[in-house]
């Protein structure tokens, strides 16, 4: 049986899947870097763009953002500070708990997200030209989502993955 890469066969383990996900994520950040350059935007990093998409149209607490995006606290704090200073994120004290900050995107952030979304919509139209390609993307998404849930359950309940 030949593999997709036509290289030596690799035993598929959870470790190999995690390594592949990490490499794919890095390539995606590289793609975002190219898109930011095309847009002439140099005051935000690809990782910070991902934070913007995690916030989306919602108003979140910092804690909600961390849980939703699975970010490391200190790294997210630094990036959020940068995003506030660059006018991508509006940060305000919560009305209920003044110690807690609420986050929402500014118009500048929404415009950037729309421009990036438009580029990706174009790429998606080109890459999923037939039903088979679209089904493969959906299958990949569903498999990765189930894997995420399996690993989350393993952490919560202490069961081996």
């Amino acid at each position: 049986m030949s593999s997709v890469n036509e290289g030596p066969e690799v035993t598929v383990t959870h470790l190999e899947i995690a390594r592949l996900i990490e490499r794919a994520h890095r390539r995606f950040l590289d793609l975002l870097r190219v898109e930011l350059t095309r847009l002439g935007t140099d005051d935000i990093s690809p990782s910070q763009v991902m934070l913007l998409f995690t916030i989306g149209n919602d108003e979140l607490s910092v804690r909600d953002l961390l849980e939703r995006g699975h970010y490391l606290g200190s790294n997210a704090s630094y990036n959020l500070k940068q995003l506030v200073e660059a006018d991508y994120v509006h940060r305000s004290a919560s009305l209920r708990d003044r110690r807690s900050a609420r986050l929402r995107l500014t118009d500048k952030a929404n415009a950037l997200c729309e421009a990036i979304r438009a580029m990706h919509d174009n790429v998606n139209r080109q890459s999923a030209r037939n039903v088979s390609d679209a089904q493969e993307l959906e299958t990949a998404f569903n498999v990765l989502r189930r894997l995420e849930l399996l690993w989350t359950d393993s952490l919560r309940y202490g069961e081996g993955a």
Side-chain angles (χ1 to χ4, degrees):
M1 175 195 283
S2 68
S3 66
V4 175
N5 295 345
E6 297 300 327
E9 278 196 38
V10 174
T11 301
V12 178
T13 64
H14 287 245
L15 177 61
E16 290 303 317
I17 291 170
R19 291 178 67 215
L20 177 61
I21 292 167
E22 183 180 22
R23 287 191 310 269
H25 178 70
R26 288 177 191 268
R27 292 298 76 79
F28 185 75
L29 292 179
D30 290 342
L31 179 62
L32 281 177
R33 188 174 290 105
V34 168
E35 290 171 359
L36 289 170
T37 299
R38 275 191 216 144
L39 292 169
T41 304
D42 62 359
D43 60 345
I44 187 171
S45 73
S47 295
Q48 291 167 339
V49 169
M50 295 302 292
L51 279 169
L52 297 182
F53 277 104
T54 301
I55 296 169
N57 294 325
D58 296 330
E59 182 174 300
L60 303 175
S61 69
V62 174
R63 180 184 176 123
D64 291 339
L65 177 68
L66 294 175
E67 288 176 1
R68 226 181 240 196
H70 311 285
Y71 302 105
L72 298 175
S74 61
N75 191 28
S77 295
Y78 170 79
N79 281 320
L80 282 172
K81 182 177 181 252
Q82 298 290 101
L83 290 169
V84 169
E85 289 174 1
D87 194 36
Y88 285 101
V89 171
H90 177 69
R91 182 180 184 135
S92 60
S94 170
L95 295 176
R96 223 183 35 191
D97 180 357
R98 302 303 267 167
R99 297 170 297 171
S100 177
R102 303 297 297 171
L103 308 168
R104 67 178 161 77
L105 299 185
T106 63
D107 290 341
K108 180 180 178 181
N110 283 317
L112 177 64
C113 289
E114 282 305 311
I116 290 172
R117 196 173 281 114
M119 285 182 184
H120 281 268
D121 287 348
N122 187 36
V123 169
N124 287 339
R125 277 192 297 281
Q126 291 174 5
S127 66
R129 290 185 179 167
N130 62 49
V131 173
S132 174
D133 288 347
Q135 288 173 337
E136 285 180 1
L137 284 174
E138 186 174 338
T139 298
F141 176 84
N142 289 331
V143 167
L144 290 171
R145 181 69 180 126
R146 284 196 316 267
L147 190 58
E148 177 190 23
L149 294 172
L150 171 71
W151 290 344
T152 299
D153 286 347
S154 293
L155 286 169
R156 282 189 185 140
Y157 307 116
E159 299 172 7

